[in-house]
């Protein structure tokens, strides 16, 4: 990677400056620098993550959370969660959250992206995005024996074959994977043979961004190899603001003010500044630069340069709860890596020797289930009526959100993932498994804003508004009903050779509405998929979003946002692959626009 010193960086004349060397930022920077025509600078607040075992080795997933490569954000206390704050990990290193996430590689439903386009964001539908999904990835086909043994089903034409991110199926699977499908099929959930091709309803074995040649994480730093010496990356650089000039009564971005080891510096860009700091930091940086809601900026002592009321609004994430079950103690279990020193040492040696064993794979048993699979028609109609009465959404956005309830058999509303292991839980003589249950289409919408007085080192206020107000009431009821379906999965006869009993919450509690609501509010976390805080405005323009369909910031020339924050509506998927596609598409648009000017 082209990491440079502070002296080398500030001596450069840049065509483009990219704020954030994360998932999207490294894609954009590398693609813009790829043909050697433009000089590109990247400012990353963290350091490097390559070479760290807690990043590279699949079986160590989640071990980097809370470390120095995690921003370690916390939400504001949530009234809908009984006053709790929730942890929001985000990557603080080159590669961003692609360096610390759980390596899940999937796409949303066709309808998710077509919905973005229906809001007035031309070019962002499924068909237009698909080439950019493919451009980011190289799919490695599984061996015939694994494909047949695990009944792996996929459409080979849906995958890319020459992108920087290597994706693959695992080479080994736990016996629980096959029983997972039998359990779901017995409950009326079909196996999905085209989970990568625009339809995510059903059960499948998922691919992961793991390079099968080395059995290591494949993440955004791979993109850096596309560029040469014209890509300059400065780590440990914290951006204070985008420099905005007034030229002929127009606001124009000309560079960035940042600190490095306590000293302030300025870097200028002759063509564009590209903000790729993620759904939490991107709106914060816009507000620190004077772009945002005048009331919020004034309270923080920031002079208003662009009145942009939606900066930091429209925050959406996936709500998640973890259901714990006691499992067959004879099954190889991820918890053994933490509680059995001999097992952990043997696994480490096996991985070192031939890249196999428990450290070489991660959970791959997935399903996305529509509401019609577990909700009565009366309940669906009542929730739909509640949704119709909601206010605060644009008519177009409200229509799309209502459709997900109205067409309750078409959308993967609840996600379930099963894995053997429930660390850090330990009970002598017992082993556990975890069923992750994740709400895909939340109605609750939150915000992220700077707090007064706004200082460089301060975190913004993250307020997702979990289960808050009438919108949150819909989310809470869906979570309660989907938790009951989770119980059905775990207790399905086809899963009995894996699950012995439900441990938490106890099986006897699921019929008690008040108990379940309290358990959900006490247990809810997030799936680390925040989106929407600098969303595309579509037909609503600056009153509905922060950027246009070319990702240009409303009211500012030569400034774009390129990351998950531009997503106007949450999708039914883990967002990683979509962020890569967004960045690939943005890179093409930027190069097109530059060529025309």
């Amino acid at each position: 990677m082209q990491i440079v010193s502070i002296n080398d960086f500030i001596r450069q004349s840049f065509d483009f400056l990219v704020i954030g060397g994360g998932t999207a930022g490294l894609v954009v920077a590398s693609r813009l620098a790829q043909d050697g025509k433009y000089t590109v600078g990247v400012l990353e607040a963290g350091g490097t993550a390559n070479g760290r075992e807690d990043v590279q080795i699949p079986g160590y997933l989640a071990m980097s959370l809370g470390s120095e490569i995690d921003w370690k954000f916390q939400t504001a206390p949530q009234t809908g969660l009984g006053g709790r704050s929730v942890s929001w990990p985000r990557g603080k290193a080159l590669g961003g959250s692609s360096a610390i996430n759980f390596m899940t590689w999937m796409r949303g439903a066709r309808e998710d992206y077509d919905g973005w386009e229906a809001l007035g964001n031309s070019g962002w539908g499924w068909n237009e995005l698909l080439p950019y999904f493919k451009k980011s990835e190289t799919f490695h086909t599984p061996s015939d024996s694994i494909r047949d043994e695990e009944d792996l089903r996929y459409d080979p034409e849906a995958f890319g074959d020459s992108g920087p991110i290597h994706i693959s199926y695992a080479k080994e699977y736990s016996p629980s994977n096959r029983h997972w499908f039998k359990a779901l099929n017995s409950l009326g959930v079909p196996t999905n043979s085209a989970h990568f091709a625009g339809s995510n309803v059903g059960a499948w074995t998922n691919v992961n961004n793991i390079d099968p040649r080395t059995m290591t994480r494949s993440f955004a730093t791979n993109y850096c190899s596309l560029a040469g010496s014209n890509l300059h990356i400065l780590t440990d650089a914290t951006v204070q603001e985008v420099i905005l000039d007034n030229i002929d009564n127009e606001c124009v971005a000309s560079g960035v003010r940042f600190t490095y080891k306590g000293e302030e510096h300025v870097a200028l860009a002759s063509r564009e500044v590209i903000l790729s700091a993620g759904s939490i930091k991107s709106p914060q940086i816009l507000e620190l630069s004077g772009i945002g809601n005048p009331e919020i900026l004034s309270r923080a002592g920031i002079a208003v340069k662009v009145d942009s009321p939606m900066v930091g609004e429209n925050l959406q994430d996936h709500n998640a709860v973890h259901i714990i079950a006691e499992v067959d103690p004879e099954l190889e279990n991820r918890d053994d890596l933490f509680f059995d020193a001999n097992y952990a040492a043997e696994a480490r040696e096996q991985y070192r020797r031939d890249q196999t064993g428990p450290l070489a794979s991660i959970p791959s048993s997935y399903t996305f289930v529509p509401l019609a699979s577990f909700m009565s028609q009366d309940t669906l109609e009542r929730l739909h009526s509640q949704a119709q009465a909601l206010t605060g959404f644009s008519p177009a956005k409200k229509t799309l959100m209502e459709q997900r309830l109205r067409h309750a058999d078409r959308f993967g509303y609840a996600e379930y993932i099963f894995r053997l292991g429930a660390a850090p839980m330990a009970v002598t003589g017992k082993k556990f498994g975890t069923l992750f249950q994740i709400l895909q289409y939340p109605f609750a919408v939150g915000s992220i804003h700077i707090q007064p007085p706004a200082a460089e080192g301060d975190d913004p206020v993250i307020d997702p508004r979990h289960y808050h107000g009438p919108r949150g009431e819909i989310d809470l009821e869906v979570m309660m009903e989907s938790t009951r379906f989770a119980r059905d999965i775990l207790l399905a006869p086809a899963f009995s050779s894996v699950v012995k009993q439900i441990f938490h919450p106890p099986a006897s509690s699921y019929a008690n509405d008040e108990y379940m609501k309290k358990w959900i509010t006490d247990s809810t976390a997030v799936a680390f998929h925040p989106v929407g805080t600098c969303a595309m405005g579509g037909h609503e323009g600056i009153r509905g979003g922060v950027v246009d369909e070319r990702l240009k910031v409303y009211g500012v020339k030569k400034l774009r946002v390129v990351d998950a924050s531009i997503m106007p509506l949450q999708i039914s998927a883990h967002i990683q692959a979509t962020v890569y596609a967004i960045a690939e598409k943005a890179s093409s648009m930027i190069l097109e626009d530059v060529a025309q000017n």
Side-chain angles (χ1 to χ4, degrees):
M1 289 184 289
Q2 298 86 330
I3 298 174
V4 300
S5 69
I6 181 64
N7 291 331
D8 287 341
F9 194 88
I10 60 178
R11 280 200 298 263
Q12 288 294 328
S13 297
F14 295 107
D15 295 293
F16 298 96
L17 276 172
V18 179
I19 302 172
T23 311
L26 289 185
V27 175
V28 172
S30 300
R31 289 298 188 190
L32 294 179
Q34 186 170 1
D35 65 2
K37 187 175 181 181
Y38 302 114
T39 302
V40 181
V42 177
L43 292 154
E44 166 55 41
T48 58
N50 288 67
R52 292 174 57 119
E53 289 193 344
D54 58 354
V55 169
Q56 301 282 55
I57 297 177
Y60 288 155
L61 85 168
M63 290 183 66
S64 59
L65 302 186
S67 73
E68 69 277 10
I69 61 171
D70 178 3
W71 281 97
K72 293 175 279 202
F73 294 119
Q74 293 283 326
T75 70
Q78 297 293 290
T79 57
L81 301 182
R84 284 193 301 119
S85 294
V86 179
S87 175
W88 275 41
R90 295 282 87 197
K92 187 181 182 182
L94 284 177
S97 294
S98 77
I100 69 170
N101 66 19
F102 293 1
M103 292 167 274
T104 301
W105 192 263
M106 63 172 63
R107 301 170 186 164
R110 173 186 293 270
E111 291 86 352
D112 293 339
Y113 308 107
D114 288 348
W116 296 359
E117 190 163 50
L119 293 174
N121 303 298
S122 178
W124 288 91
W126 168 265
N127 289 336
E128 292 81 6
L129 265 179
L130 184 57
Y132 297 105
F133 277 113
K134 291 183 174 182
K135 188 176 182 181
S136 70
E137 66 192 19
T138 293
F139 173 58
H140 297 262
T141 57
S143 67
D144 291 346
S145 59
I146 286 291
R147 184 195 62 210
D148 295 341
E149 183 178 340
E150 296 297 330
D151 192 23
L152 302 179
R153 304 183 190 182
Y154 57 90
D155 177 1
E157 297 301 316
F159 293 95
D161 59 9
S162 58
I165 305 301
H166 294 267
I167 60 174
S168 61
Y169 287 98
K171 296 179 180 179
E172 306 168 74
Y173 290 93
S174 163
S176 66
N177 194 55
R178 277 160 275 166
H179 293 294
W180 169 257
F181 288 99
K182 293 176 183 177
L184 287 158
N185 294 163
S186 73
L187 296 171
V189 179
T191 300
N192 188 323
S193 299
H195 62 90
F196 226 65
S199 171
N200 65 354
V201 171
W204 68 83
T205 301
N206 200 57
V207 293
N208 305 294
N209 50 298
I210 295 174
D211 189 333
R213 300 167 302 180
T214 60
M215 295 311 297
T216 57
R217 178 192 297 265
S218 183
F219 66 116
T221 56
N222 287 21
Y223 270 85
C224 296
S225 63
L226 299 176
S229 60
N230 57 323
L231 176 62
H232 304 265
I233 300 171
L234 181 65
T235 58
D236 303 306
T238 302
V239 170
Q240 296 172 288
E241 64 174 331
V242 178
I243 299 171
L244 301 175
D245 300 325
N246 189 314
I247 301 176
D248 298 329
N249 292 320
E250 291 187 307
C251 195
V252 181
S254 61
V256 170
R257 196 180 317 279
F258 68 96
T259 57
Y260 179 85
K261 295 187 176 179
E263 294 187 1
E264 185 177 294
H265 301 275
V266 168
L268 302 178
S270 61
R271 294 186 179 272
E272 289 192 15
V273 175
I274 299 154
L275 180 53
S276 296
S279 292
I280 296 175
K281 298 295 288 186
S282 283
Q284 180 187 25
I285 291 170
L286 288 178
E287 290 182 335
L288 291 173
S289 306
I291 304 168
N293 184 322
E295 291 185 14
I296 291 167
L297 299 185
S298 296
R299 286 199 301 268
I302 301 292
V304 179
K305 296 180 180 178
V306 177
D307 180 347
S308 187
M310 292 303 292
V311 171
E313 297 294 326
N314 194 48
L315 172 64
Q316 302 152 65
D317 202 341
H318 293 138
N319 294 357
V321 293
H322 304 160
I323 300 161
I324 309 300
E326 184 183 349
V327 299
D328 182 353
E330 298 303 315
L331 292 173
E332 192 171 79
N333 195 300
R334 176 175 164 78
D335 285 349
D336 295 331
L337 292 170
F338 302 95
F339 302 130
D340 185 331
N342 291 332
Y343 178 87
E346 291 171 2
R348 186 67 185 84
E349 174 58 24
Q350 183 179 359
Y351 181 83
R352 185 202 63 77
R353 186 178 62 248
D354 53 22
Q355 292 79 53
T356 62
L359 291 180
S361 62
I362 61 177
S364 301
S365 303
Y366 285 74
T367 187
F368 283 72
V369 180
L371 295 179
S373 295
F374 55 81
M375 270 191 181
S376 70
Q377 189 60 36
D378 287 346
T379 301
L380 286 169
E381 290 176 0
R382 176 168 50 78
L383 291 179
H384 186 239
S385 295
Q386 289 177 236
Q388 288 180 312
L390 294 175
T391 59
F393 298 112
S394 70
K397 186 173 287 188
K398 185 177 177 181
T399 296
L400 288 171
M401 297 181 76
E402 286 179 26
Q403 284 178 352
R404 296 164 173 176
L405 291 174
R406 186 182 306 117
H407 303 292
D409 59 339
R410 282 173 37 192
F411 292 89
Y413 219 103
E415 177 189 10
Y416 300 94
I417 313 166
F418 183 77
R419 78 173 187 194
L420 291 171
M425 181 177 290
V427 177
T428 303
K430 296 182 182 293
K431 289 188 179 180
F432 299 94
T434 305
L435 183 61
F436 299 87
Q437 173 197 310
I438 307 171
L439 173 67
Q440 296 300 296
Y441 294 125
F443 273 84
V445 176
S447 65
I448 292 176
H449 292 298
I450 56 176
Q451 54 186 328
E456 171 199 326
D458 291 343
D459 289 340
V461 177
I462 303 170
D463 185 9
R465 302 190 183 111
H466 293 299
Y467 309 132
H468 179 78
R471 299 179 187 182
E473 290 173 5
I474 296 175
D475 295 343
L476 183 56
E477 181 142 9
V478 172
M479 285 292 279
M480 186 167 64
E481 294 297 326
S482 54
T483 302
R484 288 172 173 149
F485 189 72
R487 170 200 57 191
D488 295 342
I489 296 172
L490 291 171
L491 296 181
F495 219 36
S496 61
S497 62
V498 177
V499 172
K500 299 308 176 188
Q501 64 175 332
I502 298 178
F503 188 82
H504 182 69
S508 60
S509 65
Y510 286 76
N512 185 324
D513 284 2
E514 292 308 310
Y515 180 95
M516 289 309 301
K517 286 180 181 178
K518 187 174 188 311
W519 180 82
I520 289 167
T521 57
D522 286 347
S523 304
T524 290
V526 288
F528 318 141
H529 305 149
V531 306
T533 50
C534 300
M536 292 186 286
H539 295 308
E540 300 289 317
I542 199 170
R543 298 301 151 189
V546 179
V547 299
D548 65 15
E549 72 275 7
R550 305 292 287 184
L551 307 189
K552 296 178 180 179
V553 175
Y554 292 123
V556 185
K557 286 190 170 183
K558 301 170 73 170
L559 177 62
R560 301 192 206 222
V561 179
V562 180
D563 54 36
S565 71
I566 65 94
M567 295 163 61
L569 274 177
Q570 184 60 278
I571 61 173
S572 180
H574 297 231
I575 66 172
Q576 176 182 203
T578 298
V579 174
Y580 280 105
I582 288 169
E584 286 281 16
K585 179 176 173 64
S587 304
S588 294
M589 291 193 300
I590 293 167
L591 291 171
E592 289 169 2
D593 291 348
V594 169
Q596 292 173 4
N597 294 327

